[in-house]
Amino acid sequence: MIQLLYRLIMFTVAFYGMNMSIKAQVDQHKEIFNTLKVNDSLIFERSFNKCETHYLKQLIAEDFEFYHDIGGLETSKEAFIKSMKNGICNPNNKTKSRRELVEGSLEVFLLKDNGNVYGALQNGVHKFFETTNGKEVAGSVAKFSHLWVLKNEKWVLKRVISYDHKMQEQPIVDGVEISNKLLDTYIGQYQAKETGLVVISRTEKGLHINAGQMSADIYAKSPSLFAHKQAPLTFEFVSDSQGKITKFIVRENDNIVEEAIKQ
């Protein structure tokens, strides 16, 4: 009887200890999840949407690497911040980009060494939007994986993988009407540094672009901004003070990748 009672006591102690351990792990995961969610907001809501890029200097590791399924590879903190300042945060850009985290998509998986947390993988889905002349339209949607590591008890972003970019399901905004007269001003030959000769022609309801191996119809998102239907590409036509079209700017996932001058 005494032996049975002893076993019951030991089982109760072990069970209680196990429950306390599980609760501690859950609490730790929740705390890290919330911390990295705040960091995500600082990177995108503040740095990307509002161009307060000083947050990037605080949150990004010195050996930072950024892998993009369309835009290529950045292999340093300095290069990434520079591309942000020269791209979406360039004050001369007429189109403003905005990122929105898909609610409920954020996940965090802890990385441990002998039971001690040294990093975490943060996965999620986000959408991008573009505003030109005060009118916002839907852009691309993509998945992301962020590798965060603890350095001197501080979370820093070490690796980013941005992938599965595609246009949102309803990218065309109702009510965008462009006159044939305005569309005709975009027609012509353009010269781009990387692509070479680019030809813009008319379709029944919009424009068509021939550039290298690309031949595609592009649809209007605003009177001066057009988009590719299958790829996260936009084409912004720029005019001079007399209203004459001088060039168009190509953006891929909101980053400037080419500029074509009208001949």
Side-chain angles (χ1 to χ4, degrees), residues 68-72 95 97 128-130 132 137-141 165-168 171-172 195 198 200 207 209-222 224-237 248-259:
H68 198 287
D69 61 346
I70 297 174
T95 299
S97 300
F128 296 90
F129 300 85
E130 295 179 353
T132 304
V137 295
S140 61
V141 58
H165 284 82
K166 60 186 71 172
M167 296 304 291
Q168 295 185 46
I172 299 177
T195 310
V198 179
I200 300 294
L207 298 175
I209 183 170
N210 281 287
Q213 297 181 347
M214 182 175 68
S215 178
D217 291 342
I218 54 178
Y219 64 85
K221 301 180 77 173
S222 78
S224 61
L225 186 69
F226 291 73
H228 195 290
K229 290 186 177 182
Q230 286 81 39
L233 296 171
T234 60
F235 308 84
E236 181 187 1
F237 289 89
F248 68 80
I249 298 169
V250 184
R251 291 183 177 85
E252 188 172 59
N253 296 303
D254 307 317
N255 295 314
I256 296 176
V257 294
E258 184 72 286
E259 186 174 284

Side-chain angles (χ1 to χ4, degrees), residues 130-163:
E130 295 179 353
T131 299
T132 304
N133 297 326
K135 193 164 190 176
E136 184 178 78
V137 295
S140 61
V141 58
K143 299 173 183 176
F144 65 90
S145 292
H146 291 174
L147 174 62
W148 294 87
V149 295
L150 275 172
K151 188 172 183 180
N152 298 325
E153 300 184 352
K154 176 185 175 183
W155 288 100
V156 293
L157 184 58
K158 189 177 182 70
R159 300 287 184 269
V160 170
I161 303 176
S162 184
Y163 61 100

